Amino acid sequence: MDRIDDNDTIRQLFRLQAQLCQTLADPTRLEILYALGEGEKTVGELVSLTGARQGNVSQHLALMRERELVRTRRSGNSIYYALADPKILEACRLTREILLERLRRTSVLSQML
Amino acid sequence: MDSYNQTRQIDEHLVYEAHAELCKVLTDPKRLRILNALREGELSVNELARTIFAEPANTSQHLGVLRRAGVVATRREGTVIYYRLAQPRLVEACRIVHEIVLEQLSRASRMLPTAGEMYDRHPSTQAGYRQVGNTEPSGSAAAVERLATISYES
């Protein structure tokens, strides 16, 4: 990368990317993300799926909405949450593969010891 | 819940925890820039520092975090240590996140009148913005388009 590339737009882009990673850096938010990968859900449905408290889930959803990871749709009295861009699941899947391999290696190792 | 499901649930939670931990490693713009730079091949600390516009000491600290997380690997040659990517799949994940952010930015730029409004919150941006403004009179949408061509293009 050339020096000329270090402009404010590039800096802004990496800052936003770091911010999005920060949004993903929470186990409950990741669980919500995977649940929404199966289709749109209400807060109530996400609460029973994740086992987290309603207030907690709502807080996470508010942040995820602010960071444009999820979008909402109102139907009658219910608000449905959905993934804003399902591509994020592919990024998570790749990361998860690495971790699963590591965990498997660790458990093989502990069985050998 | 039977015991199989219970065990599965615990493991599942462990994976979410580990996943979140790995994401934490990527929550720093400089570390993301290091990973981006290493896509081209291995680099020494000094080369990386120059590429990401950081001090070598600061760059070393970030490299330490990435190495401990198993994201980069090292090779020593004489007194120089070379860093390389240890997890190409993680870099691919970063590229996807990068793409999503670019799309978010380009959506946002359509709502903003000029690039100036987007960036002049930063103290040191006036010169940079004037420069962008001179070459890209159509504002931030054009700036974002230009961005898409410089970074993460293979």
Side-chain angles (χ1 to χ4, degrees), chain A residues 1-28 30-31 34-35 49 67-69 84-85 87-88 90-103 105, chain B residues 12-20 22-24 26-29 32-33 36 50-51 53 69-71 87 89-90 92-94 96-105 107 118-119 122 124-125 128-129 143 146-147 150-152:
Chain A
M1 200 186 276
D2 297 330
R3 229 161 222 284
I4 207 157
D5 285 357
D6 196 50
N7 61 34
D8 300 305
T9 323
I10 296 265
R11 234 175 290 158
Q12 164 94 341
L13 187 66
F14 280 106
R15 200 180 57 75
L16 283 171
Q17 192 180 344
Q19 196 183 58
L20 190 56
C21 290
Q22 200 255 321
T23 316
L24 298 174
D26 181 278
T28 309
L30 286 169
E31 210 174 338
Y34 276 102
L49 277 168
R67 303 268 166 91
E68 295 180 56
L69 270 179
D85 190 340
K87 268 208 302 271
I88 195 76
E90 178 58 14
C92 287
R93 193 187 61 76
L94 287 162
T95 312
R96 207 180 147 90
E97 263 178 23
I98 298 169
L99 296 165
L100 288 173
E101 265 168 36
R102 276 189 198 167
L103 283 173
R105 268 204 303 274
Chain B
E12 201 52 18
H13 200 72
L14 202 74
V15 178
Y16 284 126
E17 294 274 351
H19 193 156
L22 192 51
C23 287
K24 274 184 201 148
L26 308 174
T27 60
D28 185 282
L32 291 171
R33 298 189 79 140
N36 189 35
R50 272 197 301 277
T51 313
F53 306 93
V71 175
Q87 292 291 351
R89 273 175 305 192
L90 193 66
E92 174 60 14
C94 282
I96 294 168
V97 173
H98 197 91
E99 230 176 75
I100 294 170
V101 168
L102 263 177
E103 281 161 15
Q104 287 181 352
L105 264 179
R107 269 199 305 276
M118 222 166 145
Y119 304 121
H122 297 273
S124 62
T125 58
Y129 166 51
R146 204 167 61 83
L147 250 184
I150 15 187
S151 48
Y152 276 93

Side-chain angles (χ1 to χ4, degrees), chain A residues 14, chain B residues 28-35 52-54 58 62 66:
Chain A
F14 280 106
Chain B
D28 185 282
K30 288 238 158 66
R31 290 202 282 273
L32 291 171
R33 298 189 79 140
I34 289 174
L35 294 181
I52 68 161
F53 306 93
N58 183 247
H62 286 307
L66 293 169

Side-chain angles (χ1 to χ4, degrees), chain A residues 22-36 43 46-61 63-64 69-70 83 92, chain B residues 12-21 23-24:
Chain A
Q22 200 255 321
T23 316
L24 298 174
D26 181 278
T28 309
R29 287 200 287 271
L30 286 169
E31 210 174 338
I32 291 173
L33 210 73
Y34 276 102
L36 294 179
V43 177
L46 288 168
V47 166
S48 55
L49 277 168
T50 59
R53 288 165 200 260
Q54 170 132 9
N56 195 242
V57 170
S58 294
Q59 252 176 4
H60 285 308
L61 284 170
L63 181 74
M64 291 167 86
L69 270 179
V70 301
L83 291 181
C92 287
Chain B
E12 201 52 18
H13 200 72
L14 202 74
V15 178
Y16 284 126
E17 294 274 351
H19 193 156
E21 281 305 311
C23 287
K24 274 184 201 148

